[in-house]
Amino acid sequence: MNHYEKGRHTPDLQTLKRIAEELGVPLNYFFCESDQMAKFVLLFEQLSEDEKDELLTELNLKKGR
C-alpha cells in the first residue's frame, strides 16, 4: 500500500477493485480528481436507484436552464 501511496507502483484494476471492496467505496472513487467529486461519489452510491434517477433528472433540468 505504501508503494501505491508514494506513486512507486500503480495497482491494476483487479487490485483496485479489491481495495475498493475492502474500504467500502465504489471503484470510481479512486479516479476522482477533487475531494468534492469524491464526496459526491460516496453520497451518490448511498442512494437507492430511484433516488439516483431523481437526482440525475433534477441535475439535467438545472443544466438546461
Side-chain angles (χ1 to χ4, degrees):
M1 190 59 96
N2 188 328
H3 289 282
Y4 298 144
E5 291 174 344
K6 293 188 182 235
R8 293 184 191 143
H9 296 290
T10 303
D12 60 37
L13 190 57
Q14 285 306 111
T15 301
L16 270 179
K17 284 181 180 180
R18 288 195 308 264
I19 293 170
E21 287 175 13
E22 194 66 32
L23 295 175
V25 298
L27 179 62
N28 61 339
Y29 175 81
F30 295 115
F31 300 98
C32 294
E33 293 184 3
S34 70
D35 288 343
Q36 200 172 31
M37 181 55 71
K39 289 176 187 176
F40 179 82
V41 164
L42 292 176
L43 290 170
F44 188 79
E45 284 301 311
Q46 293 174 7
L47 299 175
S48 69
E49 291 303 312
D50 287 342
E51 290 170 325
K52 288 177 184 177
D53 289 340
E54 204 173 300
L55 177 59
L56 291 172
T57 298
E58 183 68 28
L59 290 172
N60 279 323
L61 289 174
K62 287 185 179 190
K63 184 180 175 189
R65 285 187 191 173

